[in-house]
PDB file of all heavy atoms in Angstrom:
ATOM      1  N   PHE A 134       9.645  43.950   3.195  1.00  0.00           N
ATOM      2  CA  PHE A 134      10.341  44.306   4.418  1.00  0.00           C
ATOM      3  C   PHE A 134       9.548  43.736   5.568  1.00  0.00           C
ATOM      4  O   PHE A 134       8.382  43.384   5.439  1.00  0.00           O
ATOM      5  CB  PHE A 134      10.500  45.817   4.566  1.00  0.00           C
ATOM      6  CG  PHE A 134       9.197  46.560   4.537  1.00  0.00           C
ATOM      7  CD1 PHE A 134       8.460  46.700   5.686  1.00  0.00           C
ATOM      8  CD2 PHE A 134       8.721  47.092   3.349  1.00  0.00           C
ATOM      9  CE1 PHE A 134       7.262  47.372   5.657  1.00  0.00           C
ATOM     10  CE2 PHE A 134       7.520  47.765   3.314  1.00  0.00           C
ATOM     11  CZ  PHE A 134       6.779  47.899   4.476  1.00  0.00           C
ATOM     12  N   TRP A 135      10.205  43.624   6.637  1.00  0.00           N
ATOM     13  CA  TRP A 135       9.524  43.071   7.791  1.00  0.00           C
ATOM     14  C   TRP A 135       9.789  43.962   8.994  1.00  0.00           C
ATOM     15  O   TRP A 135      10.852  44.508   9.154  1.00  0.00           O
ATOM     16  CB  TRP A 135      10.013  41.661   8.087  1.00  0.00           C
ATOM     17  CG  TRP A 135       9.383  41.163   9.335  1.00  0.00           C
ATOM     18  CD1 TRP A 135       9.977  40.984  10.534  1.00  0.00           C
ATOM     19  CD2 TRP A 135       8.018  40.849   9.494  1.00  0.00           C
ATOM     20  NE1 TRP A 135       9.049  40.573  11.445  1.00  0.00           N
ATOM     21  CE2 TRP A 135       7.834  40.480  10.835  1.00  0.00           C
ATOM     22  CE3 TRP A 135       6.909  40.833   8.644  1.00  0.00           C
ATOM     23  CZ2 TRP A 135       6.613  40.105  11.349  1.00  0.00           C
ATOM     24  CZ3 TRP A 135       5.689  40.467   9.159  1.00  0.00           C
ATOM     25  CH2 TRP A 135       5.559  40.101  10.487  1.00  0.00           C
ATOM     26  N   TYR A 136       8.812  44.159   9.771  1.00  0.00           N
ATOM     27  CA  TYR A 136       9.046  44.879  11.003  1.00  0.00           C
ATOM     28  C   TYR A 136       8.388  44.088  12.114  1.00  0.00           C
ATOM     29  O   TYR A 136       7.479  43.301  11.904  1.00  0.00           O
ATOM     30  CB  TYR A 136       8.436  46.277  10.951  1.00  0.00           C
ATOM     31  CG  TYR A 136       6.970  46.234  10.690  1.00  0.00           C
ATOM     32  CD1 TYR A 136       6.083  46.061  11.728  1.00  0.00           C
ATOM     33  CD2 TYR A 136       6.493  46.292   9.396  1.00  0.00           C
ATOM     34  CE1 TYR A 136       4.735  45.960  11.482  1.00  0.00           C
ATOM     35  CE2 TYR A 136       5.151  46.190   9.149  1.00  0.00           C
ATOM     36  CZ  TYR A 136       4.272  46.028  10.193  1.00  0.00           C
ATOM     37  OH  TYR A 136       2.952  45.906   9.942  1.00  0.00           O
ATOM     38  N   GLU A 137       8.893  44.291  13.260  1.00  0.00           N
ATOM     39  CA  GLU A 137       8.250  43.685  14.419  1.00  0.00           C
ATOM     40  C   GLU A 137       7.739  44.823  15.263  1.00  0.00           C
ATOM     41  O   GLU A 137       8.471  45.745  15.566  1.00  0.00           O
ATOM     42  CB  GLU A 137       9.251  42.873  15.217  1.00  0.00           C
ATOM     43  CG  GLU A 137       9.354  41.471  14.741  1.00  0.00           C
ATOM     44  CD  GLU A 137      10.366  40.706  15.550  1.00  0.00           C
ATOM     45  OE1 GLU A 137      11.062  41.322  16.382  1.00  0.00           O
ATOM     46  OE2 GLU A 137      10.449  39.518  15.349  1.00  0.00           O
ATOM     47  N   ARG A 194       0.517  27.695  24.458  1.00  0.00           N
ATOM     48  CA  ARG A 194      -0.674  28.212  25.152  1.00  0.00           C
ATOM     49  C   ARG A 194      -1.821  27.225  25.097  1.00  0.00           C
ATOM     50  O   ARG A 194      -2.017  26.560  24.086  1.00  0.00           O
ATOM     51  CB  ARG A 194      -1.114  29.528  24.509  1.00  0.00           C
ATOM     52  CG  ARG A 194      -0.149  30.638  24.792  1.00  0.00           C
ATOM     53  CD  ARG A 194      -0.612  31.898  24.139  1.00  0.00           C
ATOM     54  NE  ARG A 194       0.559  32.722  23.850  1.00  0.00           N
ATOM     55  CZ  ARG A 194       0.554  33.801  23.114  1.00  0.00           C
ATOM     56  NH1 ARG A 194      -0.573  34.183  22.548  1.00  0.00           N
ATOM     57  NH2 ARG A 194       1.636  34.488  22.906  1.00  0.00           N
ATOM     58  N   GLU A 220      -7.158  14.846  13.078  1.00  0.00           N
ATOM     59  CA  GLU A 220      -6.431  14.796  11.814  1.00  0.00           C
ATOM     60  C   GLU A 220      -4.983  14.394  12.008  1.00  0.00           C
ATOM     61  O   GLU A 220      -4.335  14.810  12.953  1.00  0.00           O
ATOM     62  CB  GLU A 220      -6.434  16.190  11.182  1.00  0.00           C
ATOM     63  CG  GLU A 220      -7.354  16.323  10.039  1.00  0.00           C
ATOM     64  CD  GLU A 220      -7.463  17.772   9.622  1.00  0.00           C
ATOM     65  OE1 GLU A 220      -6.622  18.599  10.024  1.00  0.00           O
ATOM     66  OE2 GLU A 220      -8.407  18.070   8.916  1.00  0.00           O
ATOM     67  N   ARG A 255       4.037  15.302  -6.504  1.00  0.00           N
ATOM     68  CA  ARG A 255       4.400  15.859  -5.203  1.00  0.00           C
ATOM     69  C   ARG A 255       3.709  15.081  -4.071  1.00  0.00           C
ATOM     70  O   ARG A 255       4.328  14.706  -3.091  1.00  0.00           O
ATOM     71  CB  ARG A 255       3.981  17.326  -5.192  1.00  0.00           C
ATOM     72  CG  ARG A 255       4.106  18.047  -3.892  1.00  0.00           C
ATOM     73  CD  ARG A 255       5.524  18.557  -3.698  1.00  0.00           C
ATOM     74  NE  ARG A 255       5.693  19.021  -2.343  1.00  0.00           N
ATOM     75  CZ  ARG A 255       5.490  20.262  -1.960  1.00  0.00           C
ATOM     76  NH1 ARG A 255       5.171  21.160  -2.836  1.00  0.00           N
ATOM     77  NH2 ARG A 255       5.647  20.607  -0.709  1.00  0.00           N
ATOM     78  N   GLY A 458     -13.908  12.170  -3.295  1.00  0.00           N
ATOM     79  CA  GLY A 458     -13.960  12.904  -4.546  1.00  0.00           C
ATOM     80  C   GLY A 458     -14.825  12.231  -5.588  1.00  0.00           C
ATOM     81  O   GLY A 458     -15.143  12.809  -6.615  1.00  0.00           O
TER      82      GLY A 458
ATOM     83  N   LYS B  29       0.068  48.647   8.833  1.00  0.00           N
ATOM     84  CA  LYS B  29       1.430  48.145   8.637  1.00  0.00           C
ATOM     85  C   LYS B  29       1.404  46.737   8.076  1.00  0.00           C
ATOM     86  O   LYS B  29       2.174  46.386   7.187  1.00  0.00           O
ATOM     87  CB  LYS B  29       2.180  48.158   9.960  1.00  0.00           C
ATOM     88  CG  LYS B  29       2.669  49.534  10.335  1.00  0.00           C
ATOM     89  CD  LYS B  29       3.338  49.465  11.689  1.00  0.00           C
ATOM     90  CE  LYS B  29       3.213  50.762  12.434  1.00  0.00           C
ATOM     91  NZ  LYS B  29       3.332  50.543  13.883  1.00  0.00           N
ATOM     92  N   LEU B  33       2.928  45.321   4.576  1.00  0.00           N
ATOM     93  CA  LEU B  33       3.806  44.159   4.533  1.00  0.00           C
ATOM     94  C   LEU B  33       3.307  43.106   3.553  1.00  0.00           C
ATOM     95  O   LEU B  33       4.073  42.466   2.842  1.00  0.00           O
ATOM     96  CB  LEU B  33       3.876  43.568   5.941  1.00  0.00           C
ATOM     97  CG  LEU B  33       4.776  42.375   6.135  1.00  0.00           C
ATOM     98  CD1 LEU B  33       6.204  42.785   5.908  1.00  0.00           C
ATOM     99  CD2 LEU B  33       4.615  41.840   7.535  1.00  0.00           C
ATOM    100  N   ARG B  51       4.411  35.309   9.872  1.00  0.00           N
ATOM    101  CA  ARG B  51       4.701  36.369  10.836  1.00  0.00           C
ATOM    102  C   ARG B  51       3.454  37.223  11.082  1.00  0.00           C
ATOM    103  O   ARG B  51       3.146  37.577  12.226  1.00  0.00           O
ATOM    104  CB  ARG B  51       5.847  37.252  10.322  1.00  0.00           C
ATOM    105  CG  ARG B  51       7.134  36.500  10.069  1.00  0.00           C
ATOM    106  CD  ARG B  51       7.724  35.948  11.332  1.00  0.00           C
ATOM    107  NE  ARG B  51       8.186  36.976  12.245  1.00  0.00           N
ATOM    108  CZ  ARG B  51       9.437  37.391  12.329  1.00  0.00           C
ATOM    109  NH1 ARG B  51      10.357  36.871  11.558  1.00  0.00           N
ATOM    110  NH2 ARG B  51       9.790  38.310  13.197  1.00  0.00           N
ATOM    111  N   GLU B  61      -6.146  37.418  20.568  1.00  0.00           N
ATOM    112  CA  GLU B  61      -6.275  36.849  21.914  1.00  0.00           C
ATOM    113  C   GLU B  61      -6.652  37.916  22.929  1.00  0.00           C
ATOM    114  O   GLU B  61      -7.378  37.659  23.880  1.00  0.00           O
ATOM    115  CB  GLU B  61      -4.965  36.174  22.320  1.00  0.00           C
ATOM    116  CG  GLU B  61      -4.863  34.767  21.803  1.00  0.00           C
ATOM    117  CD  GLU B  61      -3.676  34.026  22.392  1.00  0.00           C
ATOM    118  OE1 GLU B  61      -2.987  34.584  23.256  1.00  0.00           O
ATOM    119  OE2 GLU B  61      -3.459  32.888  21.962  1.00  0.00           O
ATOM    120  N   LEU B 141       1.369  24.778  -3.558  1.00  0.00           N
ATOM    121  CA  LEU B 141       2.159  23.549  -3.661  1.00  0.00           C
ATOM    122  C   LEU B 141       3.569  23.831  -4.153  1.00  0.00           C
ATOM    123  O   LEU B 141       4.467  23.015  -3.977  1.00  0.00           O
ATOM    124  CB  LEU B 141       1.460  22.564  -4.602  1.00  0.00           C
ATOM    125  CG  LEU B 141       0.728  21.396  -3.963  1.00  0.00           C
ATOM    126  CD1 LEU B 141       1.709  20.362  -3.456  1.00  0.00           C
ATOM    127  CD2 LEU B 141      -0.146  21.828  -2.809  1.00  0.00           C
ATOM    128  N   HIS B 145       7.130  23.076   1.124  1.00  0.00           N
ATOM    129  CA  HIS B 145       6.753  22.563   2.441  1.00  0.00           C
ATOM    130  C   HIS B 145       5.692  21.500   2.238  1.00  0.00           C
ATOM    131  O   HIS B 145       4.897  21.587   1.332  1.00  0.00           O
ATOM    132  CB  HIS B 145       6.158  23.666   3.316  1.00  0.00           C
ATOM    133  CG  HIS B 145       7.104  24.796   3.526  1.00  0.00           C
ATOM    134  ND1 HIS B 145       7.956  24.857   4.585  1.00  0.00           N
ATOM    135  CD2 HIS B 145       7.337  25.897   2.796  1.00  0.00           C
ATOM    136  CE1 HIS B 145       8.677  25.957   4.504  1.00  0.00           C
ATOM    137  NE2 HIS B 145       8.315  26.601   3.428  1.00  0.00           N
ATOM    138  N   PHE B 174     -16.863  15.785  -9.598  1.00  0.00           N
ATOM    139  CA  PHE B 174     -16.770  15.023  -8.350  1.00  0.00           C
ATOM    140  C   PHE B 174     -16.452  15.961  -7.195  1.00  0.00           C
ATOM    141  O   PHE B 174     -15.313  16.019  -6.737  1.00  0.00           O
ATOM    142  CB  PHE B 174     -15.675  13.964  -8.460  1.00  0.00           C
ATOM    143  CG  PHE B 174     -15.748  13.134  -9.698  1.00  0.00           C
ATOM    144  CD1 PHE B 174     -14.733  13.181 -10.634  1.00  0.00           C
ATOM    145  CD2 PHE B 174     -16.841  12.324  -9.938  1.00  0.00           C
ATOM    146  CE1 PHE B 174     -14.800  12.421 -11.779  1.00  0.00           C
ATOM    147  CE2 PHE B 174     -16.913  11.567 -11.086  1.00  0.00           C
ATOM    148  CZ  PHE B 174     -15.894  11.615 -12.019  1.00  0.00           C
ATOM    149  N   HIS B 179     -13.193  20.895   4.018  1.00  0.00           N
ATOM    150  CA  HIS B 179     -12.425  20.744   5.248  1.00  0.00           C
ATOM    151  C   HIS B 179     -12.943  21.793   6.256  1.00  0.00           C
ATOM    152  O   HIS B 179     -13.382  22.870   5.841  1.00  0.00           O
ATOM    153  CB  HIS B 179     -10.951  20.997   4.934  1.00  0.00           C
ATOM    154  CG  HIS B 179     -10.035  20.737   6.079  1.00  0.00           C
ATOM    155  ND1 HIS B 179      -9.724  21.723   6.987  1.00  0.00           N
ATOM    156  CD2 HIS B 179      -9.392  19.630   6.481  1.00  0.00           C
ATOM    157  CE1 HIS B 179      -8.913  21.218   7.893  1.00  0.00           C
ATOM    158  NE2 HIS B 179      -8.692  19.944   7.607  1.00  0.00           N
TER     159      HIS B 179
END
Side-chain angles (χ1 to χ4, degrees):
Chain A
F134 57 85
W135 175 252
Y136 58 85
E137 272 179 353
R194 290 180 208 170
E220 255 171 16
R255 173 84 191 268
Chain B
K29 282 177 209 156
L33 182 65
R51 301 295 293 263
E61 276 189 4
L141 256 286
H145 301 268
F174 311 116
H179 186 271

